[in-house]
Amino acid sequence: MSVINQLVGGPPRPGNRLSVARLGTTESWDLTEVWEEAGRVAAYLSNLGVGPGDRIGILAANSLEWVLLDLAALRIKAVTAGFDPGKFDASGAELADRYGLTVLFTDQDETADRVRPIADVRGLPPSEADLPTVVWEPGEAPALKFTSGSSGPAKSLLASVGSIDSSLAGVQEMFAHGPGDDIFVFLPLSLLQQRYWVYSALVFGHDVTISTYEAAFATLRTARPTVVMGVPGFFETARAHLEATAARTGVSPAEAAVRMFGDRIRYLWTGSAPANPATLRFFTEAGLPIFEGYGLNETCVVTKNHPGAHRPGSVGQVLPGKKVLIDVDGVINVHSEHPVATRYEHAEPGDSEAMFKPGGVVRTGDLGHLDEDGYLFVYGRADDVIVLDNGKKIVVRPIEERLKACPVIEDCVVTNPSQRQLVAIVSPAAHPANTEVIAAALREANAALDHDQRIAKAVLAERFTVDNGLLSSQFKPRRKQIEARYHRLVIDPEEGIRA
């Protein structure tokens, strides 16, 4: 049976809880309470005129109210459009107009037509009218989701129920979440996949704890989760902190990890961007197995390593209902039995045609290959292949990963201003940067690389962050912006650290 239809058909079994962990305070509710309150919010939305197919917007930080609105929308067949406050700087009224919203709820101080405080949905009285019975069809869409916007304005697409169902069913088969589990979610609920874990808790019977990126490290130990969902940048930061703690106190990395993550971790989940192999090894050796996967907003989860099938260096085997097809250019194409979407709702002319192909196929733009056992290996973006003036094609991601293995390099982007030599734009792990160690890392990398792959020099950049526009909202380096910002240093022969 459809996971989403099991959810809306509720109520959940009693005994599992949803918690919201903030700095200094944690609130917790039985999932049956959450279900009942979401029903009252659904009746409230109906009274506002929200019906099947109508869109509600949520522009707010993670909270119980966020969850209630999303669940309420599912129960009346409305569409949730989640907006990350750190990414969308338009007013609620502008967003309502732009995306065709019936109403938008926000935690920001704004009063306008079709814009309401998100606090309005708490403490609503029981409704005398029963909610209608709803059934979602696989091709219907309960969510308007947005791309990370790493290479331009955010695009949007309507995500199908079938894609959500197949992803949750596949993940459940691999990881068997259930009683005793508590999944820790701190990325914005505006990202549809973060809401999956609330749906999973309601259907499969486990706890879920919701926090924020800012509060994650402070609340992890007291929350004592069994699973942590995080992007690679989060685990890079955690690793640096754990290594520093171990060096300062003399405890083992495993002991330091328990102090940070608590004593119940079953596994760590990462994806959304390439993970540093050294960081994956660090956590696994510290007793916290970490599993990398692969997918796009346009495909949802495609592959995933898991306890029953894990190959280091890969992003796992293909999930049921998906097929990975490698074209003649080495680009990964994904066929889905239940496509997320077949076009963008909001995008530039030609974007949909470039991404979505006939028959439920998405051309990802990533380069990779499948090994003989069906594990997918991803090299990088086809757009990020550098062509030198001698015709040699250079895939930059393996070079960047080699440099990022150096503990003083937090992130880097390899570029070629002249088509004759490569330059690394380096985001140091600490300031002031240790230029001698960075120079040594260049020498070590160059010794292992072919002649055309070698780095001529590195230029120092500020830390790549979402706030300064150098990382996307999913913590991927925004190459064009980074290259533009540091172009002068890259082309100046007098600037840079040389091997």
Side-chain angles (χ1 to χ4, degrees):
M1 182 180 178
S2 158
V3 176
I4 292 299
N5 284 327
Q6 288 182 69
L7 187 159
V8 299
R13 296 186 295 270
N16 296 112
R17 304 189 70 80
L18 180 145
S19 302
V20 175
R22 299 184 178 90
L23 291 172
T25 181
T26 297
E27 297 178 277
S28 183
W29 303 267
D30 191 282
L31 288 177
T32 56
E33 297 177 82
V34 175
W35 168 261
E36 291 167 1
E37 193 161 356
R40 294 195 288 272
V41 176
Y44 167 75
L45 291 176
S46 295
N47 290 334
L48 290 178
V50 179
D54 290 337
R55 298 177 185 177
I56 69 163
I58 307 174
L59 176 68
N62 290 359
S63 64
L64 175 65
E65 292 87 346
W66 220 119
V67 172
L68 294 175
L69 281 163
D70 184 49
L71 296 178
L74 284 171
R75 291 176 66 178
I76 59 172
K77 293 195 78 170
V79 179
T80 298
F83 301 96
D84 182 351
K87 179 178 175 183
F88 288 88
D89 55 8
S91 69
E94 290 171 327
L95 293 174
D97 288 337
R98 185 183 306 166
Y99 296 106
L101 309 178
T102 301
V103 61
L104 179 137
F105 295 89
T106 183
D107 59 4
Q108 301 179 10
D109 186 16
E110 180 179 353
T111 302
D113 185 38
R114 291 186 291 157
V115 177
R116 290 175 176 262
I118 198 169
D120 284 0
V121 305
R122 287 296 301 276
L124 294 170
S127 172
E128 296 182 2
D130 292 333
L131 292 175
T133 299
V134 302
V135 177
W136 286 91
E137 297 298 329
E140 293 180 311
L144 183 71
K145 61 190 292 191
F146 297 90
T147 68
S148 62
S150 60
S151 59
K155 308 175 186 73
S156 76
L157 54 85
L158 285 165
S160 72
V161 163
S163 69
I164 299 171
D165 283 341
S166 60
S167 294
L168 281 169
V171 169
Q172 183 64 13
E173 183 178 338
M174 289 186 288
F175 292 101
H177 300 130
D181 274 321
D182 186 349
I183 297 181
F184 189 84
V185 175
F186 62 87
L187 294 174
L189 291 173
S190 55
L191 301 171
L192 176 59
Q193 188 173 320
Q194 304 310 307
R195 303 188 322 255
Y196 281 9
W197 315 121
V198 177
Y199 307 161
S200 175
L202 287 159
V203 174
F204 300 120
H206 58 79
D207 295 349
V208 60
T209 296
I210 295 170
S211 188
T212 63
Y213 207 108
E214 295 76 18
F217 286 118
T219 56
L220 263 173
R221 186 178 181 183
T222 54
R224 299 182 64 232
T226 59
V227 181
V228 177
M229 303 287 175
V231 292
F234 171 81
F235 292 114
E236 289 287 338
T237 301
R239 172 192 170 194
H241 180 79
L242 293 174
E243 288 176 330
T245 298
R248 185 179 68 253
T249 64
V251 302
S252 68
E255 291 173 293
V258 169
R259 293 182 185 182
M260 175 180 288
F261 288 91
D263 57 355
R264 298 203 312 134
I265 292 294
R266 185 154 73 89
Y267 76 91
L268 308 175
W269 170 300
T270 193
S272 297
N276 184 341
T279 297
L280 299 179
R281 285 195 303 272
F282 172 85
F283 280 103
T284 299
E285 291 171 359
L288 280 67
I290 183 168
F291 298 106
E292 186 177 13
Y294 172 77
L296 310 178
N297 275 305
E298 294 84 357
T299 63
C300 202
V301 185
V302 176
T303 65
K304 188 69 184 175
N305 281 301
H306 59 94
H310 178 219
R311 182 155 295 175
S314 80
V315 289
Q317 293 178 322
V318 182
L319 268 66
K322 304 283 189 185
K323 291 181 182 178
V324 167
L325 313 167
I326 309 297
D327 69 19
V328 294
D329 296 317
V331 174
I332 299 166
N333 290 253
V334 177
H335 174 269
S336 300
E337 182 180 346
H338 296 289
V340 175
T342 57
R343 64 180 177 86
Y344 292 118
E345 293 297 305
H346 304 88
E348 296 297 321
D351 284 349
S352 287
E353 293 77 7
M355 177 64 70
F356 299 100
K357 303 302 179 183
V361 174
V362 168
R363 187 181 191 276
T364 69
D366 291 321
L367 298 171
H369 84 276
L370 288 165
D371 72 8
E372 64 278 6
D373 296 317
Y375 287 89
L376 179 64
F377 291 78
V378 181
Y379 308 141
R381 297 288 298 167
D383 292 344
D384 297 334
V385 172
I386 288 174
V387 182
L388 300 179
D389 59 1
N390 62 5
K392 179 78 172 182
K393 293 182 179 179
I394 307 296
V395 181
V396 297
R397 178 178 161 186
I399 302 172
E400 292 166 350
E401 293 299 330
R402 186 179 292 276
L403 291 174
K404 285 162 60 178
C406 175
V408 302
I409 298 176
E410 182 175 73
D411 213 336
C412 70
V413 165
V414 171
T415 184
N416 69 325
S418 64
Q419 289 191 296
R420 290 191 299 274
Q421 61 181 16
L422 304 183
V423 176
I425 304 172
V426 170
S427 173
H431 292 274
N434 189 326
T435 56
E436 291 185 3
V437 175
I438 292 174
L442 289 180
R443 290 193 293 272
E444 182 179 347
N446 284 343
L449 294 169
D450 292 340
H451 178 269
D452 287 324
Q453 296 175 312
R454 291 172 185 165
I455 307 296
K457 70 173 184 178
V459 298
L460 297 179
E462 62 194 298
R463 188 181 185 200
F464 302 162
T465 68
V466 175
D467 289 342
N468 63 21
L470 301 183
L471 288 182
S472 73
S473 62
Q474 295 199 355
F475 303 93
K476 300 176 184 178
R478 303 180 74 184
R479 290 182 179 274
K480 291 181 180 178
Q481 288 83 346
I482 292 167
E483 290 172 349
R485 188 169 300 184
Y486 294 99
H487 179 71
R488 185 188 62 80
L489 296 179
V490 167
I491 64 173
D492 189 337
E494 303 300 320
E495 295 285 350
I497 303 167
R498 299 185 183 274

